[in-house]
Amino acid sequence: MITDMPASRETIASAFNQRAGTYDGDDWHVRYAERLVELAAPTDGMRILDAATGTGFAAIAAARAAGPAGHVLGVDISDGMLTRARQSITSLGIATIDLIEADATALPDLADGAFDLILCSAGLLYLPVQTALREWRRLLKPGGLVGFSTMREGFPTAARLFREQAGRHGPTLDDPAGPLGTPSRCRRELHDAGLVPADIVTETIRFSRGDLAHAWQAHTQGAHHDALAALTPEQTETFRAEYTGTLADLLDSDEDGVLDAQVIYAFGRRPSHSEDPFRRI
């Protein structure tokens, strides 16, 4: 049996380098990131960190909300994704975003309390949750807000189908949304990181058929990459044909069930000094 181990930093960076050229083509990514920013409600002049910024969707939306007096720092481990982000930022003429290539869970060069708001759109699927949240807590000023988005456990349907079919070919794949896949789990992870859970918003986001045209690439070059690499070329091709064919049939028979996905937007605050149980005495 091939088990699904967490992908390494290098594997994730390589996978997203390969996806960088098509990532902008998935409209749902844009809507997902912009909704996170809308719910976080940045205000003029805020200092904002966009962790796992990818091609910069959330960073761009946050920079617009924070205005010319604000500043956004986007961080990602994929130089390919950052290259696409720089192209978009330059074309839009936004001067208040800086980008750095770094691990968003370990940013020792950034000062404690450096940010009013920290955002992570979809990225926690690929990060160690407590390591990330504790680092972001350090980087927040007292009273500052962290907000992240995640899929509800079992969604999207195309990803669940991928995991089910993978099991027939050897790999047993975990649901990467599992650790944060319910509102109660989001609250628990925020609390355990020393953050005060705030709003937890559950909504539905809709994919397009065009989005699902990239489903095979997204799943094989994402969190499950290492487990799938153990398949032979013949096994991989058989799996690909079965998956894409079954997904197409399911789209024809239950389009809404495939295209609609339940998502969670979760927010937590760093306590003020007087409230902070992590405060050094």
Side-chain angles (χ1 to χ4, degrees), residues 27-28 31 204-208 211 255-261:
D27 176 68
W28 77 272
R31 291 182 280 113
T204 298
I205 195 164
R206 189 172 179 88
F207 294 87
S208 70
D211 292 330
E255 181 176 87
D256 289 343
V258 177
L259 297 182
D260 288 344

Side-chain angles (χ1 to χ4, degrees), residues 217-269:
Q217 180 191 31
H219 299 317
T220 56
Q221 295 179 356
H224 305 306
H225 177 275
D226 289 350
L228 296 170
L231 297 177
T232 66
E234 292 77 13
Q235 287 173 317
T236 300
E237 179 55 29
T238 299
F239 177 21
R240 185 199 64 76
E242 289 181 1
Y243 172 69
T244 55
T246 303
L247 181 59
D249 291 343
L250 191 58
L251 267 170
D252 289 338
S253 63
D254 184 18
E255 181 176 87
D256 289 343
V258 177
L259 297 182
D260 288 344
Q262 295 182 26
V263 297
I264 302 171
Y265 303 93
F267 299 89
R269 290 195 179 275

Side-chain angles (χ1 to χ4, degrees), residues 21-109:
T22 59
Y23 198 83
D24 289 354
D26 291 342
D27 176 68
W28 77 272
H29 281 132
V30 181
R31 291 182 280 113
Y32 197 32
E34 289 180 346
R35 180 58 173 157
L36 175 65
V37 175
E38 180 182 26
L39 291 168
T43 55
D44 188 61
M46 273 191 168
R47 299 163 300 163
I48 301 168
L49 174 68
D50 184 26
T53 191
T55 55
F57 300 139
I60 290 167
R64 287 170 168 158
H71 181 263
V72 178
L73 178 64
V75 177
D76 204 282
I77 59 171
S78 166
D79 60 352
M81 299 291 268
L82 290 173
T83 295
R84 299 285 292 194
R86 289 190 184 94
Q87 292 169 349
S88 296
I89 292 164
T90 299
S91 68
L92 293 168
I94 299 174
T96 57
I97 302 175
D98 287 321
L99 301 172
I100 59 172
E101 183 180 339
D103 182 346
T105 70
L107 298 164
D109 293 337

Side-chain angles (χ1 to χ4, degrees), residues 2-13:
I2 304 168
T3 56
D4 191 23
M5 300 297 290
S8 68
R9 181 185 185 278
E10 292 74 19
T11 294
I12 293 170

